[in-house]
Amino acid sequence: MDSRWFLFPGQTLENTKISDRQHALHITKTGWDGITKHLDRKKILQEAADKEAAIKRYLDEGSKNMTKEWENSLENVRKRKEEERVQLLEKKKEERQLRFLELRKEQEEIREKYMEKVKKQIFMTTGHARDLTSALVTSEILFERQKQQEFMEKLKQHEKDENQKYLEIQQQKAEEEMVAEAEKAKKRFEKQMEHSEKLKQNIEEKAKHEKAMRVERAKKEALDNIEAVKEMEKLEKLQTDEKIRRKKELFEDKKKYLQKDREIKQQKIKEEKELDEVIEIYKEAKHRIDCMKQERVQEMRDAVLKKQEKIAAMVMAEQMDKSEAEEKIIKKAMAEKEAAELEKMQSKKEFEAKMKQERLQNRAEVLRVEEEKTRRQDEIKKWELLNRYKVDENVKKYEQAKKEEMWKKVIKYRKELCEQMEDERLEQQREKELDNALQKPCVEEEDSKFFEYAEEVLQLAKKKGRTTIPIERVIVKYMKEMNITGDKHEQQTNPCKSTISLDMKKLQKSKNKPCRCFHSKA
């Protein structure tokens, strides 16, 4: 690789300057490829990657084609497991569906049974069926009442037996107590006798003991009296000594008190003398001070009088000067006031004349305006009168048209109402016919249900051994209300009625007789 001058066509080294020349680099192809090789690196890497990917794709396709028919290949194993899983899910789904259908069927059966039960309960608690239920309950109550009466009679008899037994036991106890009391009284008497003997012995011993105690006490009292006399003598002696001592002390105290009293009196006399001297001195000083005060007050009064006289003279002089000046000022003010009053009166007269002229002008203007207003009002009244005539005419026409239109509407509405009434009448007639057609089967069905339930209640009461008279009365009442008779046609249409055999005469007689449940065994 070397560098050379590059010359354009027509240029030579001799006819060109160095500054106009250009360098050119000369290199071999292998050298140039070595330089530019790194510029195509990405392209080379991409080509290598594409080549490798093509090889892998070729190998993968070959492997798939080769293992496509193998049973233990990963793909086939995966497919087989997926198919088995789908089949298992379908099978579970079908089983769940079957279980759901079975469960729904069971639930439907349970619901139907429950509905039948509820319907039966509703039937039993409504209408005439409720009367049958009440009759069954009444028969149960009568049975319970009979049992209660029997039980009460048993209780009474049991109570009588118990009372009789109790009386016998009490009599036996009373006899035993009487015997026991007699024995106790005998024992008590014996004990009292023993106690009285012991008591006598104790009294004798106590008397002897008390006698000995009295003798001993008398001896002690004599000794105590002797000692007491001695002590009294000692006490009297002590009291005498105490009185003497107290007298001496009182005498000494009195002597000291008198001495002290004399000293106090002397001190008081001395103090009184000193106080009198001080008072005399104070009186003299006070007299001198009062005299000095009076002299000073008199001097001050004289000075004040002199000062007042001077001030009065000065005030009189000033007052004279001030009065003269005030008179001048008053005269001047009076003159000015009179001139102002005259001027004011003149201006007032001019103002009144001007106002009078303006009032006259205003009155003329007001009269003119009032006249114009009256003229306009008259014109307005004329126009209103004309308009009223026109409006009345138009209103009459409008009301007439409205009445005609309203009458047409009334006629039309009446026609529609008549049509509706006819339709409703036909509809009611059809409904009535339909009800009449459906009523008979419904009544027969209700009768059938009632008599089936009545048969069930009768059988239940007979099975339990209860009276059937209340139930039979309810059945008779129902038959009377429904106007049911025992002819063959009704027995054929309602075969359940034929199973109920009722003795009407027996039921009527039973009304006048008490129920057998209330019969007493007596």
Side-chain angles (χ1 to χ4, degrees), residues 132-183:
L132 285 172
T133 307
S134 300
L136 181 62
V137 173
T138 304
S139 64
E140 287 287 340
I141 291 168
L142 294 174
F143 178 76
E144 290 293 331
R145 178 62 178 167
Q146 183 181 1
K147 293 296 183 183
Q148 287 176 3
Q149 286 182 348
E150 292 175 358
F151 180 69
M152 291 300 292
E153 289 176 359
K154 287 181 180 179
L155 284 177
K156 288 179 181 179
Q157 187 63 34
H158 179 70
E159 189 175 356
K160 287 180 181 179
D161 296 339
E162 290 294 326
N163 289 332
Q164 187 65 30
K165 290 179 181 179
Y166 181 73
L167 288 172
E168 292 175 357
I169 292 168
Q170 290 296 325
Q171 288 177 359
Q172 186 178 358
K173 284 183 178 180
E175 292 175 357
E176 292 176 356
E177 286 178 358
M178 288 175 67
V179 173
E181 285 293 331
E183 292 178 357

Side-chain angles (χ1 to χ4, degrees), residues 360-400:
L360 292 172
Q361 291 177 0
N362 288 333
R363 180 171 177 76
E365 184 68 23
V366 168
L367 291 172
R368 187 181 64 77
V369 170
E370 288 290 334
E371 186 178 356
E372 183 68 21
K373 186 176 180 181
T374 305
R375 185 180 64 77
R376 287 182 180 179
Q377 286 179 354
D378 292 338
E379 290 180 357
I380 289 168
K381 286 180 181 179
K382 290 178 183 178
W383 280 105
E384 285 180 353
L385 184 61
L386 292 172
N387 287 329
R388 194 180 298 119
Y389 288 140
K390 291 180 180 179
V391 168
D392 290 340
E393 186 177 356
N394 291 327
V395 167
K396 287 179 181 178
K397 289 180 181 179
Y398 174 75
E399 288 180 352
Q400 185 66 26

Side-chain angles (χ1 to χ4, degrees), residues 274-301:
E274 291 176 355
L275 185 61
D276 292 337
E277 291 176 358
V278 170
I279 289 168
E280 289 295 331
I281 294 166
Y282 177 73
K283 284 181 179 179
E284 291 177 0
K286 187 177 180 182
H287 180 68
R288 285 198 298 272
I289 290 166
D290 290 338
C291 292
M292 291 173 69
K293 280 184 179 181
Q294 289 177 0
E295 290 175 358
R296 181 64 179 166
V297 168
Q298 188 65 33
E299 290 176 358
M300 290 175 69
R301 285 178 181 174

Side-chain angles (χ1 to χ4, degrees), residues 255-279:
K255 189 176 180 181
K256 289 179 181 179
Y257 176 74
L258 291 172
Q259 183 67 27
K260 193 174 182 180
D261 189 22
R262 283 196 297 271
E263 291 176 357
I264 290 168
K265 285 181 179 180
Q266 290 175 2
Q267 184 69 24
K268 281 184 178 180
I269 292 166
K270 187 178 179 180
E271 288 177 357
E272 286 177 357
K273 287 180 180 180
E274 291 176 355
L275 185 61
D276 292 337
E277 291 176 358
V278 170
I279 289 168

